Amino acid sequence: MMEKIRQCCSSLMPVNLTDLFSTLTNDIVCRVALGKRYSGEGGIKLREPLNEMLELLGASVIGDFIPWLDLLGRVNGMYGRAERAAKQIDEFFDEVVGTFSNNLSNKLFFSIPSDPFNIDMFSASTETTSSVLGWAMTELLRHPNVMQKLQDEVRNVIGDRITHINEEDLCSMHYLKVVVKETLRLHPPVPLLVPRESMQDTKVMGYDIASGTQIIVNAWAIARDPLYWDQPLEFKPERFLNSSIDIKGHDFQVIPFGAGRRGCPGITFALVVNELVLAYLVHQFNWTVPDGVVGDQALDMTESTGLSIHKKIPLVAVASPSISKMNY
Ligand code: HEM
């Protein structure tokens, strides 16, 4: 990723960060789960149907509520789209299984394909993580003071060292952590979490909830509720400095990873990837929007629809090397 940005940098080309982040997180998860990257054509074969699936998972299916109208899902093409996307995902994994089964020494792999949880792992981990990176960079570009403060911190910790940024470095980057937290508060990638079903009849705030009722938690709205947050719509990472409120599911006013038994098991993984990538980006480059516009209105903030949401309009920015890193 850094190499691609450097190339754009030297030819003064804007960088499509949305695309870059999506490729990066797919590569990371593929390397972790399958042992190698699937960038390029192979990556697109997985990325496109996964994105389609995430969009469809966030859509309302009328047949879920009025069963005799289920036919509408066929008529409006929704079921057809889901079947096509599922087939393409299956084909991708069939190809991967084929490649690996030719290499019998790779025993680890054989635990993977039969388990649907692994498909969850791909969809749950790639677009969510890249969405946070996209929003974080967008907010940093809209708030030059925050960007400057973050750059100062990261550059102070790393100095002119020409080595990889590691997890120990991240421990010293307190402002970086609150920038990521504030991004997750304002832009939770899974805004309605994953639907739940009540297991028994219960009463909540005087309302009777029957067993088997579908429950949707609006984490997006909770994290913007003025009852819990001062100036809730403002991007202010400082609100998390000297605050005990965390985002890991114990403080219910901000639950981007859900909470409880079905809460996200990838929190640590996601936070490290987000922090590390942002640290690299602001350490080695200065960033502007292509036409040089800065300030609050400079970047489009429209959200996409789907189970997991990201910036609707791709984020494109211009990188220039930070002076002290010219020789990297
Ligand atoms: C910033 C990135 C991420 C966000 C915001 C996020 C958010 C979420 C949310 C909201 C849920 C549903 C939790 C609930 O309903 O209580 C979830 C579930 C899940 N996440 Fe993440 N996630 C992220 C990254 C990851 C990563 C990197 C992985 C894997 C390496 C992962 C794996 C999973 C899995 C497997 C589930 C399903 C858990 C279950 O159903 O029991 N997620 N995630």
Side-chain angles (χ1 to χ4, degrees):
M1 182 193 73
M2 296 302 282
E3 196 42 51
K4 283 184 195 155
I5 300 174
R6 254 177 239 123
Q7 282 164 14
C8 290
C9 213
S10 51
S11 53
L12 301 175
M13 294 266 296
V15 190
N16 183 333
L17 283 173
T18 301
D19 209 34
L20 215 57
F21 293 153
S22 186
T23 307
L24 174 77
T25 52
N26 267 276
D27 279 349
I28 293 174
V29 174
C30 282
R31 283 189 75 180
V32 170
L34 306 175
K36 70 170 214 167
R37 287 191 256 190
Y38 283 86
S39 297
E41 212 201 320
I44 290 168
K45 271 200 265 174
L46 176 63
R47 230 162 74 192
E48 286 182 349
L50 269 187
N51 287 350
E52 172 85 337
M53 212 48 138
L54 284 174
E55 192 185 324
L56 290 167
L57 279 170
S60 296
V61 178
I62 188 116
D64 283 356
F65 305 99
I66 311 173
W68 61 271
L69 282 179
D70 194 41
L71 199 67
L72 281 180
R74 294 245 159 256
V75 178
N76 66 19
M78 198 182 240
Y79 290 167
R81 282 171 64 191
E83 279 157 14
R84 256 192 315 281
K87 190 164 169 276
Q88 285 165 350
I89 294 170
D90 282 350
E91 280 168 5
F92 172 83
F93 282 107
D94 277 349
E95 246 180 77
V96 174
V97 175
T99 319
F100 274 81
S101 54
N102 289 337
N103 176 6
L104 286 177
S105 65
N106 200 325
K107 298 199 179 59
L108 173 67
F109 180 75
F110 288 97
S111 66
I112 291 175
S114 58
D115 185 352
F117 186 73
N118 290 293
I119 311 285
D120 278 2
M121 290 290 279
F122 279 90
S123 51
S125 59
T126 54
E127 288 313 302
T128 44
T129 312
S130 66
S131 159
V132 176
L133 289 169
W135 287 117
M137 281 304 281
T138 306
E139 293 289 9
L140 290 172
L141 282 159
R142 295 171 84 219
H143 299 88
N145 298 346
V146 179
M147 172 74 96
Q148 188 61 59
K149 214 165 152 183
L150 182 62
Q151 280 174 328
D152 290 348
E153 176 180 86
V154 174
R155 290 172 190 178
N156 269 336
V157 172
I158 305 299
D160 283 331
R161 225 177 61 208
I162 309 183
T163 53
H164 290 298
I165 300 175
N166 56 40
E167 285 185 57
E168 210 173 294
D169 297 322
L170 295 181
C171 292
S172 313
M173 297 180 186
H174 305 293
Y175 196 64
L176 172 66
K177 290 184 191 304
V178 297
V179 165
V180 172
K181 279 186 188 174
E182 180 69 341
T183 306
L184 279 157
R185 181 187 71 83
L186 271 179
H187 308 286
V190 192
L192 303 180
L193 308 184
V194 174
R196 305 290 210 281
E197 199 176 282
S198 56
M199 292 165 73
Q200 59 200 49
D201 292 350
T202 184
K203 223 179 181 62
V204 178
M205 296 169 78
Y207 292 93
D208 292 317
I209 313 285
S211 155
T213 306
Q214 193 183 63
I215 314 285
I216 293 175
V217 178
N218 191 341
W220 184 94
I222 296 171
R224 290 169 177 238
D225 191 330
L227 268 180
Y228 310 118
W229 302 98
D230 180 37
Q231 296 184 293
L233 302 185
E234 297 297 314
F235 182 77
K236 289 204 306 186
E238 283 72 11
R239 72 174 81 241
F240 284 105
L241 285 174
N242 306 318
S243 158
S244 63
I245 297 176
D246 207 349
I247 48 171
K248 295 185 179 166
H250 304 295
D251 301 294
F252 293 149
Q253 61 270 58
V254 53
I255 45 170
F257 293 101
R261 276 191 297 178
R262 299 307 296 265
C264 177
I267 301 182
T268 311
F269 192 102
L271 290 178
V272 169
V273 172
N274 279 313
E275 289 169 10
L276 207 52
V277 174
L278 283 178
Y280 268 109
L281 293 177
V282 304
H283 177 232
Q284 296 197 18
F285 301 104
N286 292 324
W287 293 92
T288 50
V289 284
D291 52 4
V293 188
V294 287
D296 233 29
Q297 301 307 317
L299 293 143
D300 185 279
M301 299 300 279
T302 315
E303 295 167 340
S304 66
T305 52
L307 182 71
S308 123
I309 55 171
H310 46 87
K311 246 176 116 309
K312 190 171 176 188
I313 315 275
L315 172 64
V316 178
V318 177
S320 54
S322 71
I323 310 278
S324 60
K325 310 285 165 255
M326 290 289 249
N327 296 326
Y328 260 59

